[in-house]
Amino acid sequence: MSAVCYPRSAMADTIFTKIISGEIPSHRVYEDDLVYAFLDIGPLSRGHTLVIPKEAAETIDALSDESAAAIGRVLPRISRAVLKATGAAAYNILQNNGEDAHQEVLHVHFHIIPVFEKGAAEGAGLGIVWSPRDFNHEKGAALAAEIASLIESGS
Ligand code: 5GP
């Protein structure tokens, strides 16, 4: 398998760089030129899997289109295998960006977290607190227009 080399930025190597290189062992479930996937060492449930780009971007907004596409292409396939192997019927895909968003390892990663019944011996999965607020359409329209314009201008 040929390795793809990315220009290194000033960011420090993380534990995931060492996992990709094999310096730190992992339970690999998938690998291609751009993507590596392995079992999380601190699982929220059985089958908790991490899918990472080989590109060492800290957060998803810093990730190349090429690596993002490569991850998007294999996420469904890896998710299907995790579901089949664990017998779970539901799962969450979690992707944290920034320390304030609970990102501990500063290398882009997608968690695939199977859901099991409450009290399951190996964990029930992701606990979510979801507190929706009222939506203001006037402010929402202005914000949507600003985001759309930034996307259009390529920022
Ligand atoms: P974050 O909070 O950054 O979204 O999640 C980082 C995840 O990486 C955690 O779920 C943690 O258990 C996992 N992790 C951290 N170090 C290692 C490691 O050395 N090996 C594996 N397999 N997972 C790790």
Side-chain angles (χ1 to χ4, degrees):
M1 190 168 294
S2 65
V4 175
C5 294
Y6 289 97
R8 296 312 311 264
S9 63
M11 68 171 281
D13 276 355
T14 68
I15 202 151
F16 288 175
T17 312
K18 294 185 174 130
I19 284 177
I20 293 165
S21 71
E23 193 181 329
I24 292 177
S26 65
H27 294 284
R28 181 180 64 179
V29 302
Y30 177 82
E31 182 172 15
D32 64 31
D33 285 354
L34 298 173
V35 178
Y36 191 85
F38 55 105
L39 296 183
D40 193 307
I41 203 74
L44 293 182
S45 61
R46 183 167 172 264
H48 184 162
T49 298
L50 296 172
V51 183
I52 67 177
K54 290 187 174 176
E55 180 184 354
E58 281 192 13
T59 52
I60 199 155
D61 49 279
L63 191 63
S64 68
D65 284 358
E66 187 189 24
S67 290
I71 287 187
R73 195 164 50 237
V74 296
L75 260 181
R77 208 186 316 160
I78 299 171
S79 299
R80 280 194 295 274
V82 169
L83 287 180
K84 204 162 187 182
T86 60
Y91 62 107
N92 292 99
I93 289 187
L94 175 70
Q95 206 277 310
N96 300 327
N97 296 281
E99 289 174 26
D100 288 346
H102 306 285
Q103 184 183 10
E104 283 180 6
V105 180
L106 299 180
H107 180 129
V108 171
H109 51 281
F110 289 75
H111 297 257
I112 300 174
I113 310 168
V115 174
F116 297 99
E117 76 284 354
K118 242 185 181 160
E122 295 181 65
L126 179 68
I128 301 178
V129 177
W130 192 280
S131 312
R133 313 291 298 268
D134 288 342
F135 186 81
N136 179 309
H137 286 277
E138 201 178 320
K139 289 182 181 171
L143 183 57
E146 185 181 353
I147 294 169
S149 153
L150 287 166
I151 294 170
E152 187 118 336
S153 68
S155 15

